[in-house]
Amino acid sequence: MLAGISSSYLRRGVLSSTIRSPRLLSSTRIAPSLSQNYSASMKILAVLYKGGEAATQEPRLLGTIENQLGIRPWLESLGHEFIVTDDKEGPESVFQKNVVDAEVLITTPFHPAYVTKDIIDKAKNLKLCITAGVGSDHVDLNAAVEKRIQVLEVSGSNVVSVAEHVIMSILLLVRNFVPAHEMIERGDWQVSDIARNAYDLEGKVVGTIGAGRIGYRVLQRLVPFNTKELLYYDYAALPEEAAKAVNARRVEDLKDFVSQCDVVTVNCPLHEGTRGLVNADLLKHFKKGAWLVNTARGAICDKDAVAEALKSGQLSGYAGDVWNVQPAPRDHVWRTMKNPLGGGNGMVPHYSGTTLDAQARYAAGTKSILENYLNNKEQEPQNIIIGLSGYETKAYGQRK
């Protein structure tokens, strides 16, 4: 158990179902292995990411279209139709063609199918959206409430995975790691070019925007680094015991918060109140040369404002794995942006929460949610974002 909070609620099961090879319609379309004469009792649609050769070689890549969360044999044994695809863009996509009569939709934050109000209006039979992972902002939650569509996610399934990625990202920025590695790849060796912008994390002020399951674990993991101070900004204060366990101080004004931090890490959900939260105006209040890490959602940070702040040196570095559109376009400015010294970019594809360990947990959690739904059993409360009566959590903003 980590200091100040129990981890006993985390799902640690691993699916044991044998994974079998699905029939491929094309590189992006996978057909359910049902005979034409078979009448399925329920249509379940899953939009996952393409794993390619890696998924063939590594069956534990459960979040891919090839390995399908390990649930196809189980679902088909129950007589259900299971459509799996990564083809999600446009009205002719497998996603949009099949969502119109699907009863259950499984999506993932790593290759999100954007379930807009228009999509929800067309999905006349849709009753349940499951996020295989954590973070359901790709679903129009207000529209789901209107249509009484339940939205659930596998709460806690990848919080450790993401928190570890945050710590890694902080360190690679503060220690100026990426330019150092690139120097070695080029065959160069000029220590001073790297050391002039490399620092210790010890003695720095580090703050998290959001101190929930992930943000709090980030604070826990920062304690051994002997930082000068740990801060957090959140609409809700941590329980006194939890705050004392990590010696974290709450700052209630966001501009005041960022002005005190050497490192800011974003660990809050994306919703109406956080979209574009880190914008040009807020960035002016950061300490000059601060580092910013975002593994929450790309749209929380203004794309162009961040790039300009890095270019000007207002930020020394920006790192994360989340993008405002995923997959990110090849010309996305975050792919190539640099600080004045030619470094400061720690961006990677969205994978912090989809380690092999995390995939085992969110695949098992997805199956558990489906089992409860199919057997008309109550769902675990922490997994419910939208219930039949509306919002069941304040994670996506404070609701009535």
Side-chain angles (χ1 to χ4, degrees):
M1 183 185 298
L2 293 170
I5 192 168
S6 171
S7 59
S8 61
Y9 67 90
L10 294 179
R11 308 191 61 82
R12 301 193 181 278
V14 179
L15 290 179
S16 58
S17 301
T18 301
I19 300 169
R20 51 187 186 183
S21 300
R23 289 188 239 158
L24 292 176
L25 290 177
S26 71
S27 63
T28 59
R29 302 179 182 207
I30 291 183
S33 44
L34 293 168
S35 69
Q36 291 182 343
N37 296 325
Y38 192 87
S39 177
S41 61
M42 184 182 298
K43 185 174 184 177
I44 300 167
L45 171 64
V47 181
L48 306 173
Y49 62 87
K50 184 179 179 181
E53 185 178 354
T56 302
Q57 297 172 346
E58 179 49 83
R60 291 176 296 175
L61 280 168
L62 292 169
T64 62
I65 60 171
E66 291 81 5
N67 296 324
Q68 307 178 10
L69 300 169
I71 58 176
R72 177 178 292 281
W74 168 65
L75 286 174
E76 291 185 350
S77 73
L78 298 175
H80 301 302
E81 181 182 9
F82 190 38
I83 307 289
V84 179
T85 186
D86 71 332
D87 182 23
K88 65 188 181 74
E89 303 297 339
E92 296 303 310
S93 65
V94 175
F95 162 56
Q96 290 204 25
K97 283 184 175 181
N98 282 278
V99 75
V100 294
D101 61 347
E103 182 168 334
V104 178
L105 172 64
I106 301 170
T107 57
T108 170
F110 314 105
H111 185 73
Y114 294 103
V115 188
T116 63
K117 184 179 187 304
D118 181 57
I119 295 292
I120 286 175
D121 287 341
K122 293 175 182 177
K124 303 299 183 182
N125 197 41
L126 189 60
K127 295 179 176 62
L128 174 65
C129 289
I130 303 173
T131 298
V134 175
S136 300
D137 50 274
H138 52 281
V139 179
D140 187 323
L141 299 177
N142 292 330
V145 171
E146 290 178 8
K147 297 292 185 178
R148 289 174 57 82
I149 297 170
Q150 298 180 78
V151 180
L152 284 84
E153 59 186 45
V154 189
S155 180
S157 60
N158 56 18
V159 292
V160 168
S161 312
V162 176
E164 289 183 359
H165 193 100
V166 172
I167 300 302
M168 177 186 73
S169 299
I170 291 173
L171 287 171
L172 71 83
L173 289 182
V174 173
R175 300 307 297 259
N176 206 21
F177 174 83
V178 174
H181 181 68
E182 291 173 342
M183 175 181 286
I184 293 301
E185 286 188 319
R186 291 194 307 268
D188 296 335
W189 187 288
Q190 186 62 46
V191 174
S192 59
D193 285 353
I194 303 303
R196 66 178 175 176
N197 201 31
Y199 297 84
D200 296 338
L201 184 55
E202 183 178 65
K204 303 298 185 291
V205 178
V206 185
T208 174
I209 298 176
R213 291 185 176 95
I214 294 173
Y216 188 77
R217 281 167 172 76
V218 171
L219 293 172
Q220 289 176 313
R221 284 156 177 77
L222 286 167
V223 170
F225 286 94
N226 194 27
T227 60
K228 181 178 181 180
E229 191 171 20
L230 296 177
L231 307 180
Y232 74 97
Y233 171 83
D234 201 309
Y235 71 87
L238 286 169
E240 184 178 355
E241 182 180 350
K244 284 183 178 179
V246 294
N247 195 25
R249 175 170 62 90
R250 183 186 182 201
V251 180
E252 297 187 48
D253 179 81
L254 183 56
K255 291 179 179 178
D256 183 28
F257 166 81
V258 299
S259 71
Q260 298 181 51
C261 294
D262 299 299
V263 180
V264 174
T265 170
V266 181
N267 299 293
C268 60
L270 174 65
H271 54 77
E272 300 99 316
T274 61
R275 185 177 296 274
L277 183 68
V278 181
N279 53 28
D281 180 59
L282 184 65
L283 286 163
K284 293 176 183 176
H285 293 269
F286 276 59
K287 283 185 180 180
K288 185 171 179 59
W291 297 277
L292 177 59
V293 172
N294 178 13
T295 57
R297 287 295 181 267
I300 294 173
C301 295
D302 183 289
K303 170 176 66 74
D304 296 323
V306 166
E308 181 57 36
L310 187 60
K311 180 181 178 180
S312 71
Q314 177 63 14
L315 288 178
S316 279
Y318 182 84
D321 67 327
V322 289
W323 307 70
N324 59 317
V325 177
Q326 294 184 181
R330 293 181 66 88
D331 62 351
H332 197 293
V333 68
W334 285 0
R335 288 181 181 265
T336 56
M337 61 184 181
K338 303 284 187 181
N339 64 24
L341 296 177
N345 188 330
M347 291 303 296
V348 296
H350 191 178
Y351 81 100
S352 64
T354 190
T355 62
L356 293 181
D357 302 292
Q359 289 187 53
R361 292 190 292 265
Y362 69 65
T366 299
K367 183 178 181 182
S368 176
I369 291 169
L370 276 170
E371 283 180 321
N372 289 336
Y373 179 75
L374 296 173
N375 294 307
N376 202 26
K377 293 181 179 179
E378 289 188 6
Q379 300 285 353
E380 296 180 51
Q382 71 269 18
N383 290 339
I384 306 173
I385 306 302
I386 305 294
L388 291 175
S389 60
Y391 281 90
E392 297 290 341
T393 176
K394 292 183 179 180
Y396 291 85
Q398 298 189 67
R399 310 281 176 173
K400 292 181 179 179

